[in-house]
Amino acid sequence: MTLQAPSQNAVRAADPAAPRHVAIIMDGNGRWANERGMPRLSGHKAGTGNFHRVLRTFHERGVDFVTLYAFSTENWSRPPAEVSGLLSLLTAVIASSMDELHENNVRIRHLGELRHLPDDLAEAIRGAVARTGGNSGLELCVAFDYGGRAEIVRAVRRIVAAGTAPEQVTEELISANLYLPDVPDPDLIIRTAGEQRLSNFLIWQAAYSEYYHTPVYWPDFDAEEAERALAEYKRRRRRFGALPEEG
Ligand code: IPE
Ligand code: IPE
Ligand code: MG
């Protein structure tokens, strides 16, 4: 995988309309497996096979940040065997992908809570974040044990604990107290498998994101599907509440 193609700057210059940050709700692993008569965990496993290619496509098209929604605060309510399967899967994916991601200058970030995770997984995530902290290529943000409401509650608690006066509470201050304050809001949120909801994903940051959904299940979302989402994004006209530009 080459996430830093020599032609990257040329591509970027030719494609100024690319979203800077793409966030993905990776959904449909269970249905993918079900349709094949396989256990749900096989679907989750299949869902780890495509992300290198999808990342490469986005990066080649000028995307600087990709956030993947891998496990929500609500996903704890799934059967224990599925939950532990998902936790083990992330541990395995980190072990098998780290070298390649690091060699490709990818910086790994985490958003969510580490304290509810098994020690080995929490350590693996901390290790991946620390090892790639100096990388300057694509930023890969992994939302694991992440919930948008929990993130806002955490931000408010931090603001209150700092003794902030009410009139000092601003939108910027809330943004500055989220998990990854330096990461820009997502320009494009993609959801696979046909659902049309956020499911507690980046609810503060999504205020003006463009939303794209596709019936394709996550394990089948490939480079071509990524290109399709980018092409659709290019057709959107973002107005942010103002009037459309003339011309
Ligand atoms: C998404 O696939 C992966 C996670 C939520 C962890 P699902 O497991 O939600 O798949 P469906 O929605 O049941 O098909
Ligand atoms: C959202 O998918 C969470 C992740 C992709 C990690 P879910 O499958 O959990 O969402 P709902 O239950 O359909 O809203
Ligand atoms: Mg689902």
Side-chain angles (χ1 to χ4, degrees):
M1 177 176 63
T2 309
L3 284 172
Q4 276 231 314
S7 61
Q8 185 191 317
N9 285 339
V11 171
R12 201 175 297 249
D15 195 5
R20 190 160 178 232
H21 179 181
V22 175
I24 309 176
I25 303 171
M26 307 183 291
D27 199 13
N29 295 349
R31 280 164 277 177
W32 185 93
N34 203 32
E35 285 184 7
R36 286 162 178 74
M38 291 154 73
R40 291 180 58 84
L41 218 46
S42 308
H44 295 312
K45 212 171 259 176
T48 64
N50 52 350
F51 85 96
H52 284 289
R53 264 169 295 135
V54 169
L55 289 186
R56 184 173 55 200
T57 303
F58 283 130
H59 197 51
E60 283 174 358
R61 294 284 170 251
V63 174
D64 293 322
F65 300 86
V66 173
T67 298
L68 299 177
Y69 200 10
F71 191 90
S72 73
T73 49
E74 288 71 32
N75 288 148
W76 292 109
S77 58
R78 294 193 179 192
E82 180 164 349
V83 169
S84 64
L86 285 164
L87 300 177
S88 308
L89 197 57
L90 181 63
T91 314
V93 168
I94 293 174
S96 63
S97 308
M98 265 311 296
D99 287 348
E100 192 179 348
L101 291 170
H102 188 45
E103 276 161 25
N104 284 290
N105 202 20
V106 174
R107 182 179 178 196
I108 297 175
R109 318 284 304 268
H110 170 250
L111 58 163
E113 295 296 326
L114 291 178
R115 64 206 154 98
H116 306 123
L117 302 181
D119 290 343
D120 60 337
L121 176 54
E123 265 317 300
I125 294 173
R126 273 192 210 102
V129 169
R131 184 172 168 204
T132 62
N135 291 349
S136 57
L138 181 79
E139 293 206 15
L140 172 59
C141 310
V142 181
F144 203 95
D145 196 11
Y146 172 85
R149 287 187 172 182
E151 180 176 38
I152 294 170
V153 168
R154 173 179 171 275
V156 171
R157 284 185 179 157
R158 287 158 59 108
I159 291 167
V160 171
T164 314
E167 60 277 11
Q168 289 175 324
V169 177
T170 60
E171 294 183 10
E172 290 72 24
L173 187 65
I174 291 175
S175 292
N177 280 281
L178 300 179
Y179 288 118
L180 300 175
D182 56 310
V183 173
D185 289 344
D187 301 291
L188 174 63
I189 296 180
I190 296 173
R191 183 164 187 151
T192 60
E195 313 303 345
Q196 300 183 42
R197 55 177 169 261
L198 281 176
S199 301
N200 204 12
F201 186 46
L202 302 178
I203 54 175
W204 175 272
Q205 299 90 327
Y208 264 101
S209 304
E210 293 296 324
Y211 186 71
Y212 173 87
H213 67 94
T214 166
V216 170
Y217 295 145
W218 173 250
D220 294 328
F221 191 93
D222 55 12
E224 201 179 310
E225 294 297 332
E227 299 278 12
R228 213 165 270 160
L230 291 174
E232 167 63 24
Y233 176 83
K234 270 196 194 161
R235 287 193 285 273
R236 305 281 177 91
R237 290 292 165 262
R238 303 182 75 186
R239 288 191 286 276
F240 301 99
L243 295 179
E245 282 170 32
E246 283 183 33

